[in-house]
Amino acid sequence: MRADAPVLIVGAGVAGLATALAAAPRPVRLLCRTHDGVGSASALAQGGIAAAIDPADHPAAHARDTLVAGAHHNDATAVRWLTDEAPRTVAWLVAQGVAFDREEDGALRLGREGGHGVPRIVHAGGDATGAAMVQALRAQAQRASHIQWRGGVDVEALLWRDGRVVGLRTRDERGREEIHDAARVVLATGGIGSLFARTSNPPGADGAGLALGLAAGAAARDLEFVQFHPTALDLPHRQSLPLVTEALRGAGARLRDARGHPVMDGVHPLGDLAPRDVVARRVWQACQEGGVWLDATTVTDWPYRFPTVLAACLEHGIDPRKAPIPVTPAAHFHMGGLSIDLDGDTAVPGLHAVGEVACNGVHGANRLASNSLLEGVACGRQLGARLATLPWAARGQGAMRWIERGPSLDSGTLAMLRQLMWSAAGPQRDAATLREALRQCGLWHGWQTRLAEALLLAALRRTESLGAHCRRDALAA
Ligand code: SIN
């Protein structure tokens, strides 16, 4: 690394924050689009952190559940590493000040979620785990003398010299450019939910970091695997939708159609608690046949267990204690991303990736509930610790070149692209629709289109159904 340049981390969700904290004493500049660091998908996460903490549990059992959820498409070494690391990750978060929910005797309260064989999920503030984690890590980062914040900036290009990434260019809301020298660049920019017409992700999860990494020549991995959550609050004319956590179904809520019939009856032996992809596909179909509602009127203790969902529903005139909640599937998590090794290195020298923008194969074809915050923090800590000890490189002398993300689509075309992705690359796909979507994308010019094309091509090439990638033409064959 170069002695006079900081490590630049792009993104202030849990992955970026954990990387920044663990990189001490290396100087770090944390770049994010908002001024106060809010707006990440991490902060919206209602699930918790999975870890084999209970004496009756074991990381090997957590690993098994992760592999089953991922349809065994996972990288087994990454799974073993992550599940071994999980209890230490929770302990580190406690040391950073995250106030996880506890039993009366002070032990961490362990919940159970879909796909987990035993209770192993820790939560904070009921369904507000992500927000509690971001708040605690952000407070630590703001106190840390090695971390400098730079909010309100968008990264639009990487700087290339002597065969490596050596910096980047940002633009602020007033259009002012700034060039930042870097010892290393870490992309921690999150997922791609915003490429779809319906998503549980915040608007900033638009794939900009993934597009930039691909433009720099980093390899993509598993782009076709997008997890759709079965239950987001169905608000007409809105793209970014509040999540209605799966834990409500764990607490007895039932999915019903317009006539009040349970929609999961006869679909899967686990009914409403069937794997997420199975429920999402059924809800998708039932939505097209007249709508789906989550009847959670029998659930108790709302302000303590589900304050986030309660507040979101009340804000939109629905009291979930008295009336069913209208729900829709929504793009939720991207298992694919920039291909990285377990150290967080892309194939591009000087460029690293961590969290949802990256893919080390740990989630396989379908992420297990509550493994994403875990991955962000565990991989962030690992990458940060490594950046802290890497040797410093000499300043290069070669010619410099910009790798541009490229121009954005205008808002009207972006809305059409999102609708196209929702219908062609949503919970159910087939070759003809994917091909037609690719043809349509070819008519639009913007970095979002290039990203969409990469995903559509990956989905077209994977002709079988696997995990969250469902090819209805393969099912019919
Ligand atoms: C949920 O709470 O339903 C989502 C949790 C997750 O995505 O892990």
Side-chain angles (χ1 to χ4, degrees):
M1 293 208 240
R2 297 196 351 236
D4 55 346
V7 170
L8 300 180
I9 300 179
V10 188
V14 294
L17 288 166
T19 308
L21 288 167
R26 287 284 196 242
V28 167
R29 190 172 304 151
L30 200 51
L31 306 162
C32 60
R33 283 173 167 165
T34 57
H35 282 283
D36 48 9
V38 298
S40 66
S42 304
L44 300 182
Q46 293 179 15
I49 285 218
I53 291 171
D54 191 278
D57 196 5
H58 194 279
H62 183 186
R64 264 195 309 278
D65 290 343
T66 301
L67 290 164
V68 169
H72 293 273
H73 184 68
N74 322 57
D75 179 308
T77 308
V79 170
R80 214 167 28 247
W81 177 82
L82 185 67
T83 51
D84 280 350
E85 207 53 39
R88 279 189 287 278
T89 304
V90 171
W92 182 78
L93 286 165
V94 170
Q96 302 306 307
V98 181
F100 288 115
D101 300 340
R102 291 181 182 270
E103 302 291 354
E104 273 172 18
D105 65 0
L108 288 168
R109 173 169 300 160
L110 299 176
R112 188 166 172 183
E113 285 177 3
H116 290 272
V118 296
R120 66 163 71 96
I121 320 297
V122 293
H123 288 93
D127 62 6
T129 313
M133 284 171 55
V134 169
Q135 201 179 15
L137 296 183
R138 198 166 59 216
Q140 293 288 354
Q142 277 160 348
R143 277 195 289 270
S145 57
H146 71 287
I147 300 176
Q148 182 195 19
W149 279 83
R150 190 64 59 85
V153 293
D154 188 31
V155 177
E156 51 181 30
L158 294 171
L159 186 57
W160 184 262
R161 181 181 221 175
D162 296 331
R164 58 185 294 115
V165 171
V166 295
L168 52 77
R169 192 178 73 232
T170 57
R171 189 177 293 276
D172 69 14
E173 304 103 320
R174 294 202 212 154
R176 289 176 304 204
E177 283 185 358
E178 191 178 358
I179 294 171
H180 306 253
D181 255 1
R184 304 268 173 159
V185 171
V186 178
L187 297 173
T189 47
I192 56 159
S194 219
L195 272 189
F196 292 83
R198 319 232 80 188
T199 180
S200 62
N201 293 178
D206 58 2
L210 178 53
L212 200 51
L214 295 177
R221 178 169 177 183
D222 288 349
L223 288 188
E224 65 274 35
F225 294 112
V226 179
Q227 183 174 79
F228 296 91
H229 198 287
T231 56
L233 182 58
D234 190 4
L235 301 172
H237 316 303
R238 279 257 310 252
Q239 189 223 0
S240 181
L241 303 169
L243 188 72
V244 178
T245 178
E246 192 167 274
L248 275 162
R249 277 175 280 132
R254 307 279 322 259
L255 288 160
R256 299 186 190 281
D257 65 16
R259 287 167 301 160
H261 295 153
V263 301
M264 289 306 296
D265 273 11
V267 175
H268 191 279
L270 290 175
D272 287 273
L273 289 173
R276 202 172 272 180
D277 58 311
V278 176
V279 186
R281 284 195 287 276
R282 177 68 189 114
V283 173
W284 159 275
Q285 186 193 341
C287 278
Q288 284 160 9
E289 292 161 1
V292 178
W293 286 259
L294 184 70
D295 181 354
T297 51
T298 56
V299 172
T300 55
D301 253 357
W302 276 89
Y304 177 68
R305 293 163 78 195
F306 303 109
T308 311
V309 180
L310 179 62
C313 289
L314 291 177
E315 191 188 328
H316 295 282
I318 302 151
D319 186 339
R321 295 164 297 192
K322 299 184 183 142
I325 308 167
V327 291
T328 171
H332 183 56
F333 186 84
H334 196 197
M335 278 69 75
L338 296 173
S339 181
I340 53 161
D341 59 20
L342 259 187
D343 286 331
D345 294 353
T346 70
V348 175
L351 186 65
H352 306 265
V354 66
E356 195 174 341
V357 68
C359 177
N360 60 16
V362 75
H363 301 303
N366 206 2
R367 176 183 59 86
L368 180 64
S370 288
N371 268 356
S372 53
L373 291 173
L374 169 63
E375 181 213 359
V377 177
C379 293
R381 287 184 66 209
Q382 158 104 341
L383 173 59
R386 196 162 143 266
L387 292 173
T389 56
L390 279 177
W392 300 63
R395 184 181 280 275
Q397 297 298 323
M400 293 199 280
R401 171 167 81 80
W402 285 107
I403 296 165
E404 304 283 344
R405 186 183 63 202
S408 284
L409 291 177
D410 63 75
S411 58
T413 312
L414 185 55
M416 288 194 282
L417 177 69
R418 288 168 169 161
Q419 204 53 55
L420 186 73
M421 291 298 282
W422 184 240
S423 45
Q428 297 208 20
R429 304 159 173 186
D430 63 61
T433 318
L434 288 164
R435 268 199 211 99
E436 171 54 22
L438 268 167
R439 189 198 64 77
Q440 182 64 51
C441 275
L443 306 175
W444 297 325
H445 302 290
W447 63 262
Q448 294 96 335
T449 323
R450 288 202 314 273
L451 194 53
E453 281 169 345
L455 195 152
L456 290 165
L457 261 179
L460 192 56
R461 286 190 185 126
R462 187 171 295 281
T463 51
E464 87 277 22
S465 290
L466 189 69
H469 170 70
C470 173
R471 286 284 301 257
R472 60 189 149 208
D473 43 354
L475 285 177

